[in-house]
PDB file of all heavy atoms in Angstrom:
ATOM      1  N   ASN A 110     103.908  97.172 112.820  1.00 98.00           N
ATOM      2  CA  ASN A 110     103.717  98.544 113.297  1.00 98.00           C
ATOM      3  C   ASN A 110     102.308  98.778 113.834  1.00 98.00           C
ATOM      4  O   ASN A 110     102.124  99.446 114.853  1.00 98.00           O
ATOM      5  CB  ASN A 110     104.052  99.541 112.186  1.00 98.00           C
ATOM      6  CG  ASN A 110     105.529  99.570 111.867  1.00 98.00           C
ATOM      7  OD1 ASN A 110     106.367  99.187 112.677  1.00 98.00           O
ATOM      8  ND2 ASN A 110     105.863 100.013 110.662  1.00 98.00           N
ATOM      9  N   ALA A 111     101.308  98.228 113.151  1.00 98.00           N
ATOM     10  CA  ALA A 111      99.926  98.347 113.638  1.00 98.00           C
ATOM     11  C   ALA A 111      99.776  97.641 114.983  1.00 98.00           C
ATOM     12  O   ALA A 111      99.083  98.133 115.886  1.00 98.00           O
ATOM     13  CB  ALA A 111      98.951  97.765 112.616  1.00 98.00           C
ATOM     14  N   CYS A 112     100.431  96.514 115.134  1.00 98.00           N
ATOM     15  CA  CYS A 112     100.378  95.771 116.398  1.00 98.00           C
ATOM     16  C   CYS A 112     101.074  96.542 117.516  1.00 98.00           C
ATOM     17  O   CYS A 112     100.570  96.606 118.641  1.00 98.00           O
ATOM     18  CB  CYS A 112     101.002  94.391 116.234  1.00 98.00           C
ATOM     19  SG  CYS A 112     100.030  93.263 115.215  1.00 98.00           S
ATOM     20  N   ARG A 113     102.216  97.128 117.219  1.00 98.00           N
ATOM     21  CA  ARG A 113     102.937  97.919 118.224  1.00 98.00           C
ATOM     22  C   ARG A 113     102.071  99.095 118.679  1.00 98.00           C
ATOM     23  O   ARG A 113     101.964  99.370 119.875  1.00 98.00           O
ATOM     24  CB  ARG A 113     104.266  98.427 117.677  1.00 98.00           C
ATOM     25  CG  ARG A 113     105.072  99.207 118.729  1.00 98.00           C
ATOM     26  CD  ARG A 113     106.365  99.794 118.197  1.00 98.00           C
ATOM     27  NE  ARG A 113     107.275  98.755 117.748  1.00 98.00           N
ATOM     28  CZ  ARG A 113     107.724  98.620 116.491  1.00 98.00           C
ATOM     29  NH1 ARG A 113     107.378  99.472 115.560  1.00 98.00           N
ATOM     30  NH2 ARG A 113     108.542  97.636 116.175  1.00 98.00           N
ATOM     31  N   GLU A 114     101.440  99.764 117.741  1.00 98.00           N
ATOM     32  CA  GLU A 114     100.566 100.890 118.088  1.00 98.00           C
ATOM     33  C   GLU A 114      99.387 100.419 118.943  1.00 98.00           C
ATOM     34  O   GLU A 114      99.057 101.039 119.947  1.00 98.00           O
ATOM     35  CB  GLU A 114     100.054 101.568 116.818  1.00 98.00           C
ATOM     36  CG  GLU A 114      99.142 102.738 117.106  1.00 98.00           C
ATOM     37  CD  GLU A 114      98.574 103.368 115.843  1.00 98.00           C
ATOM     38  OE1 GLU A 114      99.162 103.206 114.748  1.00 98.00           O
ATOM     39  OE2 GLU A 114      97.529 104.031 115.970  1.00 98.00           O
ATOM     40  N   GLY A 115      98.765  99.321 118.555  1.00 97.00           N
ATOM     41  CA  GLY A 115      97.641  98.784 119.333  1.00 97.00           C
ATOM     42  C   GLY A 115      98.046  98.378 120.730  1.00 97.00           C
ATOM     43  O   GLY A 115      97.355  98.670 121.709  1.00 97.00           O
ATOM     44  N   ALA A 116      99.188  97.720 120.851  1.00 98.00           N
ATOM     45  CA  ALA A 116      99.670  97.253 122.162  1.00 98.00           C
ATOM     46  C   ALA A 116      99.995  98.417 123.084  1.00 98.00           C
ATOM     47  O   ALA A 116      99.838  98.311 124.306  1.00 98.00           O
ATOM     48  CB  ALA A 116     100.894  96.358 121.988  1.00 98.00           C
ATOM     49  N   SER A 117     100.433  99.523 122.524  1.00 97.00           N
ATOM     50  CA  SER A 117     100.810 100.678 123.353  1.00 97.00           C
ATOM     51  C   SER A 117      99.612 101.321 124.045  1.00 97.00           C
ATOM     52  O   SER A 117      99.783 102.077 124.997  1.00 97.00           O
ATOM     53  CB  SER A 117     101.537 101.721 122.502  1.00 97.00           C
ATOM     54  OG  SER A 117     100.625 102.372 121.620  1.00 97.00           O
ATOM     55  N   LYS A 118      98.422 101.009 123.603  1.00 97.00           N
ATOM     56  CA  LYS A 118      97.216 101.623 124.173  1.00 97.00           C
ATOM     57  C   LYS A 118      96.726 100.923 125.442  1.00 97.00           C
ATOM     58  O   LYS A 118      95.943 101.487 126.191  1.00 97.00           O
ATOM     59  CB  LYS A 118      96.106 101.658 123.126  1.00 97.00           C
ATOM     60  CG  LYS A 118      96.464 102.560 121.964  1.00 97.00           C
ATOM     61  CD  LYS A 118      95.407 102.543 120.894  1.00 97.00           C
ATOM     62  CE  LYS A 118      95.870 103.420 119.728  1.00 97.00           C
ATOM     63  NZ  LYS A 118      94.918 103.377 118.624  1.00 97.00           N
ATOM     64  N   TYR A 119      97.185  99.696 125.678  1.00 98.00           N
ATOM     65  CA  TYR A 119      96.760  98.979 126.874  1.00 98.00           C
ATOM     66  C   TYR A 119      97.440  99.548 128.112  1.00 98.00           C
ATOM     67  O   TYR A 119      98.617  99.906 128.076  1.00 98.00           O
ATOM     68  CB  TYR A 119      97.090  97.493 126.777  1.00 98.00           C
ATOM     69  CG  TYR A 119      96.383  96.758 125.666  1.00 98.00           C
ATOM     70  CD1 TYR A 119      97.101  96.090 124.691  1.00 98.00           C
ATOM     71  CD2 TYR A 119      94.995  96.720 125.603  1.00 98.00           C
ATOM     72  CE1 TYR A 119      96.459  95.404 123.671  1.00 98.00           C
ATOM     73  CE2 TYR A 119      94.348  96.034 124.586  1.00 98.00           C
ATOM     74  CZ  TYR A 119      95.087  95.377 123.623  1.00 98.00           C
ATOM     75  OH  TYR A 119      94.454  94.706 122.619  1.00 98.00           O
ATOM     76  N   ASP A 120      96.706  99.577 129.198  1.00 97.00           N
ATOM     77  CA  ASP A 120      97.281  99.992 130.478  1.00 97.00           C
ATOM     78  C   ASP A 120      98.136  98.894 131.077  1.00 97.00           C
ATOM     79  O   ASP A 120      99.087  99.170 131.809  1.00 97.00           O
ATOM     80  CB  ASP A 120      96.162 100.355 131.467  1.00 97.00           C
ATOM     81  CG  ASP A 120      95.348 101.531 130.984  1.00 97.00           C
ATOM     82  OD1 ASP A 120      95.912 102.633 130.880  1.00 97.00           O
ATOM     83  OD2 ASP A 120      94.148 101.340 130.681  1.00 97.00           O
ATOM     84  N   LEU A 121      97.807  97.644 130.769  1.00 98.00           N
ATOM     85  CA  LEU A 121      98.528  96.509 131.334  1.00 98.00           C
ATOM     86  C   LEU A 121      98.390  95.294 130.442  1.00 98.00           C
ATOM     87  O   LEU A 121      97.298  94.991 129.956  1.00 98.00           O
ATOM     88  CB  LEU A 121      97.967  96.177 132.729  1.00 98.00           C
ATOM     89  CG  LEU A 121      98.590  94.988 133.464  1.00 98.00           C
ATOM     90  CD1 LEU A 121     100.051  95.281 133.824  1.00 98.00           C
ATOM     91  CD2 LEU A 121      97.793  94.653 134.720  1.00 98.00           C
ATOM     92  N   HIS A 122      99.517  94.605 130.268  1.00 98.00           N
ATOM     93  CA  HIS A 122      99.531  93.283 129.642  1.00 98.00           C
ATOM     94  C   HIS A 122      99.760  92.269 130.751  1.00 98.00           C
ATOM     95  O   HIS A 122     100.618  92.474 131.610  1.00 98.00           O
ATOM     96  CB  HIS A 122     100.678  93.164 128.636  1.00 98.00           C
ATOM     97  CG  HIS A 122     100.440  93.868 127.351  1.00 98.00           C
ATOM     98  ND1 HIS A 122     100.622  95.215 127.188  1.00 98.00           N
ATOM     99  CD2 HIS A 122     100.031  93.391 126.156  1.00 98.00           C
ATOM    100  CE1 HIS A 122     100.341  95.548 125.943  1.00 98.00           C
ATOM    101  NE2 HIS A 122      99.979  94.454 125.295  1.00 98.00           N
TER     102      HIS A 122
END
Side-chain angles (χ1 to χ4, degrees):
N110 291 338
C112 290
R113 183 183 298 119
E114 180 183 338
S117 72
K118 295 177 183 177
Y119 297 122
D120 297 295
L121 179 66
H122 284 81

